[in-house]
Amino acid sequence: MTELPEGPDARFRHHLAEGRFMIQRCEACGRHGFAPRVLCKHCGADRLAWVEASGKGHLYAATTVRQKPEKGGDYLYAMVELAEGVRMISTVVGTAPDALHIGDRLRAEIDDTPRVIFRKEGTA
Ligand SMILES: [Zn+2]
């Protein structure tokens, strides 16, 4: 698929580069959506507005990816459900994968990539 500079993915990355975690909210049905798209996946409307994500969510599903320490060590391949009701694939940093559990409350941050990553609520 050809990606236009003004396309939803580009907009999402542009926001991230500015340090903002933005998701889309449909002005027709009021539901949030992720990943970025042109049409609402719930009702098909093309009136998707960008809104700041709350950054709150919980661990919905996860798999630990095993890696040697010299390659960065184990990490969590995580599906996170945001408070807005949308799910996204990401990872959780700052806590060992084995110490994380489904349902753990998470908060989003933006790393240097930039991309959205998550940290367990209550950890530094
Ligand atoms: Zn909609």
Side-chain angles (χ1 to χ4, degrees):
M1 204 176 99
T2 309
E3 192 176 280
L4 302 172
E6 308 81 26
D9 284 332
R11 286 286 298 275
F12 177 72
R13 288 197 303 271
H14 179 77
H15 290 137
L16 276 188
E18 291 180 328
R20 304 166 79 197
F21 175 22
M22 306 286 282
I23 60 175
Q24 292 172 303
R25 182 178 179 277
C26 177
E27 294 180 332
C29 73
R31 299 176 75 177
H32 292 86
F34 192 86
R37 51 201 296 143
V38 174
L39 301 176
C40 175
K41 74 170 183 177
H42 305 292
C43 74
D46 62 358
R47 306 199 323 267
L48 297 178
W50 289 95
V51 296
E52 191 108 38
S54 67
K56 293 179 179 171
H58 69 271
L59 189 58
Y60 182 81
T63 302
T64 300
V65 178
R66 303 287 177 192
Q67 282 192 144
K68 292 180 174 162
E70 58 268 30
K71 290 195 169 181
D74 296 350
Y75 71 93
L76 203 70
Y77 182 84
M79 182 177 282
V80 177
E81 185 170 281
L82 299 177
E84 289 85 354
V86 301
R87 294 172 194 158
M88 63 186 300
I89 298 296
S90 182
T91 192
V92 181
V93 301
T95 304
D98 293 343
L100 289 161
H101 303 95
I102 301 305
D104 278 354
R105 293 195 304 153
L106 308 171
R107 68 172 189 278
E109 47 188 78
I110 299 170
D111 73 5
D112 293 337
T113 309
R115 62 178 182 151
V116 176
I117 58 170
F118 289 84
R119 202 174 283 276
K120 188 173 175 176
E121 194 73 69
T123 63

